[in-house]
Every structure is written in structure tokens, then in C-alpha cells.
Amino acid sequence: MRIVVLGSGAGGGFPQWNCNCENCRLAWANDPRVRARTQSSLTISADGERWLLLNASPDLRQQIIATPALHPRAPGRHSPIAGAFLTNGDVDHLTGLLTLREQHALTIYGSRATLAQTSDGVFGVLNADLVRRVEVAPGVRVDTGLGFTVETFAVPGKPPLYLEDADIEKQIGAETDSTIGLEIACSGRRVYYIPGCARVTEALRARVAGADALFFDGTTFTDDEMVRLGLSQKTAWRMGHVPMGGADGSIAGFADTQIGRKIFIHINNTNPILDEDSPQRRELDAHGIEVAHDGMDITV
């Protein structure tokens, strides 16, 4: 399987359009210690001809232009994009579907909770005669017809921001179909894509053990990162993300789990690992953990 990182940033990308935090100042100044990043999405193929998107970010058009494998190849209208698999209903994971409205046949996979957000309103521009929606329950393995299968599973998360209600504090960390992880399997190889996760559990460790690659939620380094910088009143936990550092963080959580390649993705503009010369980045290097970047291209 070939996997291309279309976007590796969290919502807003990096630099974020309205942010001048320390990291973003470096990016605005084109400092070589940091790389600009669009919003999180992968694309995967077993044959190099047909590709499945894993989430569809608002930056999708820009990402397609930057990725030759996704360029049209036949006369007239054509795209090697066969569909998209959504992990949740976050704005930065599904609004790129609107880019795919130009009379192109494709399949959109997702949980009932997520697909419900793409069924009406502005998403009505997706021609129902061409765009097939396939509801996938957690624990179900789907044969995509592209040479690989995808199994979904619930991970600790929360509803999308625009669906939060007065009970949100009780819902954070729940394992429902609002936030899912994906296991992509082909010829004995396994890759996991989990761009949003609130906690590393024993069940999650057991599931990903022995995987060839894990793309995991890298939103923040510390739980209070955005609060400390004065940019938000929300901790990573409140946003439905597990931080990298600390005793309960994902670095420690996966430290003893045998995985071929551990790769952080969905990296917030405030995360100090974006500075490739930072102590936090060196800590990841010491643990053998990689940081996804736009255009990262791996084969497993």
C-alpha cells in the first residue's frame, strides 16, 4: 500500500490564518525550522491508480494540485479519487467533500453519526446519482474494491464542536460512532489512521500492536497548551484530544507497543514539535516517533 499525507495540520492548518503565536510567527517569516501544513487528510492506494481519501479537509483542492498521483489522467473530466472514508464530522475532516461536487462518481464511507452531517444542506450539491454514501458501523470491515479493506472501530472522542450541547462534559472520552479509527489492511499489512482520540486505552494499544504504521492524533504536546498561550480556554481533553507528553500522554501510552512506524498527524499550530529544533521534537526523535508533513509518501 502507498500512503500519501495530503495534510498534516489540525483545524486551521499551519500557520493558522489569524494566529501570530510563536510557531506561526516562524512560519509567517519562512523560518527553515518549521514547515507549513494544510489540514489533516491522507490518501491511500493499493495499485497506484485508484485512491481513497481518509477524510476530506477544506484544503483538498490545494492538496490535489500538490499531489501528482491525484491529477486527472483521461481526457475530459477524470479523477483517480474513488471515494473518501470519514473518521468524524469535524469541519476540517468533511468540508473538502464540497470540492468533489463537479459531477464525479465516488463513494463516501462513514458512521451513521458522521454521514448524517453530509446528507442535506450545502452537501446537497453532491449529486445523489453519482455519489454513493455507505454507512459503516464500528467493528465492520469493508471491502473497498480497491485492493484493501477498511475496518472501523470507536475510539474515545466527542461530538463535533457544532453539535455540542449542555452535556458535553459528560460525553468527552466516550467511545461512540462520533469518533472512529480506521484499520486499513492489504496482503497481511496493517495501517491505522486515528487523527482524533481523547485517551490511549488498553484496548487501543492491543488493537494497534504489530501494525506496520500508525498515524495518530498529534494535536497538542501538553494538555494545557492553548490555555497557557492565552489562545483558548479549552484543554486538549476538552477538545477531545490526548496530548503527546505526560504520564497519560500518547508518547508514554504507545511506548511499549510494537509498531513499525509511529507517526503523529493532525498537529495544532501551537504544538512545539512543529519547530524541528525544539526539545520536544528531539524527544520524539529519541522515541523513534515521526512527525507527518504534507507530501510525506510511504509504502508498506
Side-chain angles (χ1 to χ4, degrees):
M1 290 183 289
R2 181 182 170 197
I3 304 155
V4 179
V5 176
L6 300 178
S8 51
F14 175 66
Q16 183 171 301
W17 68 277
N18 64 343
C19 188
N20 204 27
C21 69
E22 183 176 351
N23 279 343
C24 286
R25 283 198 298 272
L26 293 178
W28 293 127
N30 296 314
D31 191 292
R33 289 173 292 178
V34 300
R35 307 188 201 195
R37 287 169 160 83
T38 57
Q39 295 168 90
S40 173
S41 179
L42 299 183
T43 190
I44 187 164
S45 178
D47 59 13
E49 298 294 327
R50 300 167 299 166
W51 293 80
L52 182 71
L53 303 177
L54 306 185
N55 287 330
S57 92
D59 301 316
L60 183 57
R61 180 179 180 277
Q62 175 184 345
Q63 293 167 346
I64 291 171
I65 291 171
T67 308
L70 299 184
H71 292 180
R73 301 173 192 172
R77 291 191 174 181
H78 171 268
S79 173
I81 297 173
F85 215 122
L86 308 175
T87 62
N88 62 20
D90 286 355
V91 168
D92 53 320
H93 284 162
L94 60 78
T95 52
L97 294 175
L98 299 177
T99 299
L100 306 178
R101 68 189 183 279
E102 306 292 353
Q103 299 301 301
H104 176 63
L106 57 95
T107 303
I108 301 172
Y109 302 92
S111 70
R112 174 178 296 182
T114 297
L115 289 185
Q117 307 313 311
T118 73
S119 61
D120 52 22
V122 69
F123 288 98
V125 299
L126 296 171
N127 188 337
D129 293 331
L130 295 172
V131 178
R132 185 170 66 111
R133 289 172 171 81
V134 177
E135 181 183 310
V136 183
V140 172
R141 181 172 296 279
V142 175
D143 184 349
T144 62
L146 303 174
F148 55 85
T149 62
V150 180
E151 181 177 348
T152 69
F153 53 96
V155 298
K158 73 171 188 65
L161 177 62
Y162 57 90
L163 294 179
E164 290 183 4
D165 58 28
D167 292 325
I168 184 60
E169 295 288 352
K170 300 175 183 177
Q171 298 166 5
I172 300 171
E175 296 186 28
T176 71
D177 68 345
S178 288
T179 306
I180 61 173
L182 305 179
E183 177 190 291
I184 303 97
C186 176
S187 302
R189 301 282 185 169
R190 287 186 295 138
V191 173
Y192 288 89
Y193 179 51
I194 311 171
C197 185
R199 182 190 300 116
V200 178
T201 64
E202 288 293 342
L204 182 57
R205 277 190 286 266
R207 174 178 280 276
V208 302
D212 294 280
L214 166 65
F215 288 87
F216 190 77
D217 185 344
T219 307
T220 68
F221 198 87
T222 60
D223 188 53
D224 66 345
E225 184 171 292
M226 295 186 69
V227 177
R228 183 166 32 82
L229 292 172
L231 299 175
S232 173
Q233 295 304 307
K234 295 180 180 180
T235 63
W237 168 259
R238 173 60 182 80
M239 295 186 293
H241 299 285
V242 58
M244 297 178 180
D248 296 322
S250 52
I251 296 174
F254 292 116
D256 298 324
T257 307
Q258 295 302 308
I259 299 169
R261 296 177 72 167
K262 300 175 185 177
I263 305 168
F264 278 126
I265 197 166
H266 195 272
I267 304 157
N268 200 57
N269 62 298
T270 56
N271 195 321
I273 67 165
L274 290 171
D275 180 347
E276 297 179 11
D277 194 36
S278 66
Q280 293 85 353
R281 189 60 173 264
R282 290 193 287 274
E283 181 177 348
L284 295 191
D285 292 341
H287 285 276
I289 302 175
E290 302 174 67
V291 178
H293 57 82
D294 292 22
M296 185 180 197
D297 192 333
I298 72 172
T299 300
V300 297

